[in-house]
């Protein structure tokens, strides 16, 4: 499998509980390398732009308000099959369905406040990485 990059976000519920290091350890233990990372605070407008694909979903307002409610850590993860590998490390969207040992099983508070975001496909990953990072900020 090819080396890939994927976009990860440590969400406000996790930064609030000081879980950045524990979550990063999960990525590194799985063989994912953090090749870019920054802590930022999104505006509601920026969160709406990032999640535009979900704008018709009933939870869009709740999701975008939540993503702007505190700091997030945006990061680029690199590794063999990084997109799928990260999805495995994250676990299912709803922590009740997440496999034991995954980030969401261990740390997520609810289906909405579920600690991490990860790109769902290589093409989405390219778009999402470009939303937050310039090439100069990514050091593999
Ligand atoms: P993901 O790819 O596993 O993050 O899941 P989705 O792409 O389906 O949803 C994007 C994000 O929207 C999720 O990570 C949740 O934060 C949020 N979300 C999804 N379903 C719900 C829901 O039923 N209620 C709320 N409040 N948020 C949701």
């Amino acid at each position: 499998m090819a080396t890939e990059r994927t976009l990860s976000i440590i969400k406000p519920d996790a930064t609030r509980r000081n879980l950045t290091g524990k979550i990063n350890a999960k990525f590194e233990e799985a063989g994912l390398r953090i090749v870019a990372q920054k802590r930022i605070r999104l505006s509601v407008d920026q969160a709406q732009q990032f999640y535009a694909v979900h704008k018709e979903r009933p939870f869009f307002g709740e999701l975008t308000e939540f993503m702007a409610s505190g700091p997030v850590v945006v990061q680029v993860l690199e590794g063999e099959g990084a997109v799928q590998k990260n999805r495995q490390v994250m676990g299912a969207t709803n922590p009740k369905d997440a496999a034991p040992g995954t980030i969401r099983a261990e740390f997520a508070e609810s289906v909405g406040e579920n600690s991490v975001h990860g790109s769902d496909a290589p093409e989405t990953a390219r778009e999402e990485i470009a939303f937050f990072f310039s090439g100069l900020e990514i050091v593999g």
Side-chain angles (χ1 to χ4, degrees):
M1 195 173 277
T3 298
E4 284 177 345
R5 287 176 174 173
T6 191
L7 191 277
S8 166
I9 307 178
I10 300 178
K11 295 185 178 183
D13 66 285
T15 60
R16 175 168 42 78
R17 288 175 290 147
N18 215 19
L19 293 171
T20 300
K22 285 187 175 150
I23 290 173
N24 279 348
K26 294 275 193 193
F27 297 140
E28 294 185 342
E29 281 159 14
L32 291 164
R33 187 171 288 273
I34 301 163
V35 296
Q37 175 167 261
K38 57 190 172 189
R39 183 176 170 104
I40 59 173
R41 177 93 184 239
L42 291 173
S43 64
V44 172
D45 187 60
Q46 288 166 330
Q48 287 174 346
Q49 280 178 46
F50 180 76
Y51 277 114
V53 66
H54 291 310
K55 66 176 181 297
E56 306 303 334
R57 309 275 285 271
F59 55 80
F60 182 67
E62 205 177 320
L63 170 62
T64 52
E65 294 280 338
F66 162 60
M67 291 300 288
S69 69
V72 296
V73 177
V74 293
Q75 40 192 195
V76 180
L77 307 180
E78 185 178 86
E80 295 279 300
V83 173
Q84 276 317 306
K85 186 175 279 182
N86 183 39
R87 298 290 305 184
Q88 286 168 10
V89 175
M90 289 164 60
T93 309
N94 189 333
K96 291 186 185 133
D97 303 326
T102 59
I103 292 169
R104 284 166 165 172
E106 289 194 14
F107 303 123
E109 300 197 298
S110 65
V111 65
E113 306 205 357
N114 58 2
S115 302
V116 279
H117 165 86
S119 307
D120 62 1
E123 182 51 34
T124 326
R126 275 188 284 279
E127 291 169 15
E128 291 184 349
I129 290 169
F131 185 90
F132 288 110
F133 293 97
S134 77
L136 279 175
E137 293 176 300
I138 305 170
V139 184

